[in-house]
Amino acid sequence: VDNLNSIFVFDGVSNSEDGKSASLLAAEIISKEYKKLIFGSDLEIKQFLKSLNDLISNQSNGATTIAGFVLSESNIKVINMGDSKIYRIREGMIKKLTIDDTYYEYLKSIKSENFEEYKNSHIITSCLGMKSGFDIDNIHLKEIDFGIMEKDIFIVCTDGVSDLIKEEELLNTI
């Protein structure tokens, strides 16, 4: 239990004061309740995040993305909603471990004929603080195959980084 770590990043949606308050509230609650993310089952984690969504939507007019992971000696569990990302660098290769919740990714996933038209669409389709349409199944929660290795490097960032630096540039910089 002493070898568990968790790291999360929150990014207020639409870069407004309301988004800032939503991300601060999410960070505050998770910093106090992080053990629910570490020790909870997948369903308990999703229910906790649903209750966090409800709290944010009741106390703020904003919304926030979330991306983070819980790390133990042999396991990594990744959690995300929105367009903040987690990358793993292993043996000179970079891999994105999260799924973006954007209109572009949605169109791509349903193989819409015109998804390329929306390549630069950053409209977020799922995040914390949604007043309506929140779906517990849109919480991305997964354990990463092959766990962790001694020299792995993890990068947790907002779209403020990932939109400006391509994965290859990020890899070369690190």
Side-chain angles (χ1 to χ4, degrees), residues 58-82:
N58 288 330
Q59 292 188 14
S60 168
N61 287 324
T64 183
T65 68
I66 177 176
F69 61 85
V70 176
L71 184 67
S72 69
E73 286 183 16
S74 61
N75 188 3
I76 180 169
K77 185 179 289 190
V78 171
I79 301 165
N80 85 289
M81 292 181 77

Side-chain angles (χ1 to χ4, degrees), residues 30 32-41 44-46 48 51 70 79:
I30 286 189
K32 291 178 184 173
E33 303 286 338
Y34 69 92
K35 288 183 180 180
K36 291 180 180 179
L37 298 174
I38 292 174
F39 299 112
S41 68
E44 290 168 330
I45 291 169
K46 286 184 175 194
F48 168 68
S51 67
V70 176
I79 301 165

Side-chain angles (χ1 to χ4, degrees), residues 7-8 42 45 49 66-71 75-81 84-88 96-99 139-145 154 156:
I7 297 172
F8 287 87
D42 287 359
I45 291 169
L49 292 174
I66 177 176
F69 61 85
V70 176
L71 184 67
N75 188 3
I76 180 169
K77 185 179 289 190
V78 171
I79 301 165
N80 85 289
M81 292 181 77
S84 293
K85 296 170 181 49
I86 301 172
Y87 298 97
R88 178 183 63 199
K96 186 172 86 163
L97 303 177
T98 50
I99 298 168
I139 300 170
H140 305 290
L141 178 63
K142 64 180 175 180
E143 293 193 24
I144 301 302
D145 294 337
F154 294 93
V156 182

Side-chain angles (χ1 to χ4, degrees), residues 16 21 23 28-30 40 53 58 69-70 73 79 83-84 107 118 122 129 139 148 150 155:
S16 67
S21 67
S23 61
E28 178 183 317
I29 299 298
I30 286 189
N53 177 78
N58 288 330
F69 61 85
V70 176
E73 286 183 16
I79 301 165
D83 60 356
S84 293
L107 290 175
Y118 295 91
H122 300 287
I139 300 170
I148 58 172
E150 185 176 332
I155 301 166

